[in-house]
Amino acid sequence: MAGTRPLYLGPRLRRLRRELGLTQQTMADDLGISPSYIALLERNQRPVTADLLLRLARTYRLDVSDLASEDGENYARRIADVLRDPIFSDIDLPSLEVSDLATSFPGVSEALLRLHGAYTREQQALAERSAGVGEADGQDPVAEAQRFLAARRNYIDLLDRRAEDLAAQIDTEGGMTRYLAKKGVRVRFLPPDVLVDALRRFDRHNQQLLIADTLRAESRAFQLALHIAYSSLRTEIGQVLREEAFTSKTAETLVRRGLAAYAAAALLMPYDRFARTVESRRYDVEAIAGVFGTSFEQVAHRLTTLQRPGHEGVPFFFLRVDEAGNVSKRLDGAGFPFAAHGGGCPLWTVHKVFRRPGEVTTQWLELPDGQRFFSIARTVSAGGGSHGRGRTLRAIALGCAAEEAPRLVYAQAEEQRPPTPIGVTCRLCHRAECEARSAPPIGREILADDYRRPSQPYAFAES
């Protein structure tokens, strides 16, 4: 703390409490103060004393210097940078007022910074659109995270090999729960309301890993593996992250989360054993899930990572969509030209499997350029677990190039049917005869004909 100036840590204290999954009452009990005093501290109506600062650090195993660094100075600096924007040039903004805002109203300061951030990103997107630049080329953190994995063909050698070694160690110690116990971490399964609606939370103070008891067995195992990935493979994840210079903290956070999930899957399905099982079961996703105690989606996702040099599996692409067609995950190891802006082809069965939940549907596909693929699609669900808790239904598709399909049990079980002609998206598909079309393709002139209505939504003039 600088001099004798009072130290106000309201927003920081609130963030810390929420990250730990604590109520004000619980934190007050931990620190030996009243819940009302916690509320006053979080509203910056009371300063944090030196004694309380030490108690916070000791109770939650935190660094005092990190806690004591003042939000006000940070907000003042960031707000001053924002206010240099030309949009504010005609407003008199004395530095003293900026400092008062940052110190006395950190919540308003954060709101201002978020609004300006959103405004800046939108202005950039509009400029790129005017210049004809695609969204994927802009500073979209989701697209940036996807490009990070695509550049590595969704295979991270360092994480995969380290996870394989760690999985062998965990097996010798009797499983993940016993492995964590030897690390001093107790695993407890509790109702979601006790976890403040979280699926997983690590109580650093008591060294307890708390997991929602409504999760299915495969989801519980994944949450255990995810915690081990974040803790025991932290160094390796950091090493992979340092290979890239990210354009934003959000992009880096998304990639870190993706790498941790990758490592968790590698712990549950170690590469060598998984690859051997996959070949012996002919890529039967449901059978493989039974062997490893994992879900259909976890296995399908893991299949896209079988890219170890010299020990490659079938190159797959993976897509996950909801009933409205929104894409929530997209991975490509098979050269499939995904639509950059949604609106996938309705003739692809991944958009139809919602009518037959839980059933695997196969399909041969042909793109306008003649490329052929084989895909399987099935619904998967998330959530639920108790009465009144919502369940989300999504569809996933797993596909490969047509020449790889004979290695799959799904293609071996049937004769090859004529492929379904699909497009990447209607705006890029020039199949004039398609009755499922929702929009005309770019560059085609719609034929004006007041006396004839074809069966297709649009008729086009000859190019």
Side-chain angles (χ1 to χ4, degrees):
M1 283 178 279
T4 59
R5 187 171 51 181
L7 181 63
Y8 292 92
L9 299 177
R12 180 164 302 189
L13 185 63
R14 187 184 305 113
R15 282 199 306 272
L16 172 65
R17 180 174 60 77
R18 289 175 176 173
E19 285 171 3
L20 295 172
L22 304 176
T23 63
Q24 290 183 340
Q25 178 67 60
T26 306
M27 177 171 272
D29 292 343
D30 288 346
L31 299 175
I33 56 179
S34 68
S36 59
Y37 190 55
I38 291 287
L40 291 171
L41 289 167
E42 290 187 355
R43 292 199 296 268
N44 269 355
Q45 293 177 351
R46 293 289 187 278
V48 175
T49 64
D51 175 64
L52 183 57
L53 187 65
L54 290 172
R55 254 187 285 174
L56 276 166
R58 203 165 42 240
T59 303
Y60 301 117
R61 302 187 182 187
L62 302 170
D63 192 308
V64 174
S65 61
D66 288 342
L67 277 173
S69 58
E70 297 189 49
D71 281 338
E73 293 177 2
N74 180 42
Y75 277 132
R77 183 177 63 255
R78 292 166 62 196
I79 290 172
D81 289 341
V82 163
L83 295 179
R84 280 195 282 270
D85 191 303
I87 195 173
F88 302 118
S89 60
D90 61 337
I91 305 175
D92 182 25
L93 296 165
S95 58
L96 184 59
E97 289 186 14
V98 174
S99 179
D100 285 346
L101 172 66
T103 302
S104 303
F105 304 98
V108 176
S109 301
E110 181 64 26
L112 174 61
L113 292 169
R114 290 188 190 182
L115 282 171
H116 187 265
Y119 161 80
T120 303
R121 289 190 295 273
E122 186 62 23
Q123 290 295 101
Q124 184 176 21
L126 286 171
E128 290 170 348
R129 201 170 302 154
S130 299
V133 179
E135 183 182 26
D137 296 322
Q139 304 307 317
D140 177 359
V142 176
E144 187 174 353
Q146 289 172 345
R147 288 196 298 272
F148 179 90
L149 289 174
R152 292 156 179 79
R153 297 188 65 204
N154 199 35
Y155 174 70
I156 313 295
D157 189 71
L158 174 65
L159 284 184
D160 229 312
R161 292 184 185 277
R162 180 69 185 93
E164 194 166 24
D165 293 341
L166 184 54
Q169 179 186 345
I170 289 171
D171 283 345
T172 61
E173 294 184 1
M176 291 187 289
T177 301
R178 291 190 178 181
Y179 169 82
L180 287 171
K182 289 190 176 182
K183 297 285 184 181
V185 176
R186 179 189 177 196
V187 177
R188 297 181 65 194
F189 298 97
L190 299 172
D193 56 332
V194 176
L195 298 181
V196 198
D197 285 327
L199 298 180
R200 183 191 79 253
R201 180 170 70 81
F202 181 51
D203 178 355
R204 286 182 289 183
H205 176 44
N206 296 304
Q207 289 293 291
Q208 293 185 135
L209 178 60
L210 311 176
I211 296 176
D213 62 6
T214 52
L215 292 177
R216 288 174 290 198
E218 61 269 21
S219 296
R220 290 188 183 192
F222 185 78
Q223 294 302 326
L224 280 167
L226 199 55
H227 176 78
I228 293 173
Y230 274 120
S231 54
S232 298
L233 297 176
R234 180 182 299 275
T235 300
E236 289 80 1
I237 291 173
Q239 186 174 333
V240 175
L241 284 171
R242 285 193 293 275
E243 296 174 4
E244 189 88 2
F246 297 99
T247 60
S248 69
K249 193 68 178 175
T250 299
E252 183 178 352
T253 297
L254 290 174
V255 172
R256 182 186 299 278
R257 188 168 69 177
L259 293 175
Y262 182 104
L267 284 170
L268 294 173
M269 295 167 276
Y271 195 101
D272 186 58
R273 182 180 166 220
F274 183 74
R276 285 187 279 107
T277 304
V278 162
E279 291 295 339
S280 68
R281 301 302 173 105
R282 298 179 178 181
Y283 293 82
D284 186 331
V285 179
E286 290 172 297
I288 298 165
V291 171
F292 288 92
T294 48
S295 70
F296 188 96
E297 181 175 354
Q298 288 168 355
V299 171
H301 194 289
R302 181 63 169 149
L303 285 172
T304 68
T305 70
L306 291 181
Q307 304 295 325
R308 179 176 291 178
H311 298 85
E312 297 93 341
V314 170
F316 285 105
F317 63 81
F318 174 99
L319 185 75
R320 186 177 70 190
V321 299
D322 63 20
E323 292 183 78
N326 300 303
V327 177
S328 54
K329 187 170 287 186
R330 183 169 57 206
L331 300 164
D332 185 26
F336 189 81
F338 291 108
H341 304 287
C345 183
L347 300 178
W348 190 7
T349 54
V350 69
H351 301 292
K352 300 178 180 180
V353 293
F354 295 101
R355 304 171 193 168
R356 304 166 79 171
E359 183 176 322
V360 174
T361 301
T362 64
Q363 188 178 28
W364 297 88
L365 307 170
E366 184 176 67
L367 296 174
D369 63 1
Q371 288 189 84
R372 292 190 175 186
F373 295 88
F374 178 76
S375 85
I376 67 169
R378 202 197 85 160
T379 57
V380 295
S381 63
S386 62
H387 180 70
R389 298 187 68 84
R391 185 179 295 277
T392 302
L393 191 67
R394 298 186 180 97
I396 61 172
L398 188 68
C400 64
E403 56 268 24
E404 298 280 1
R407 297 172 64 181
L408 277 59
V409 67
Y410 304 100
Q412 292 172 342
E414 60 181 41
E415 294 183 8
Q416 182 170 348
R417 297 189 297 270
T420 302
I422 71 166
V424 176
T425 180
C426 288
R427 297 290 282 166
L428 300 177
C429 178
H430 288 266
R431 286 194 172 101
E433 69 281 3
C434 180
E435 296 184 11
R437 176 177 294 283
S438 62
I442 296 171
R444 292 295 297 272
E445 183 180 348
I446 298 176
L447 184 64
D449 190 339
D450 296 340
Y451 302 100
R452 177 177 176 272
R453 170 63 165 85
S455 58
Q456 299 84 17
Y458 304 96
F460 307 109
E462 292 298 323
S463 350

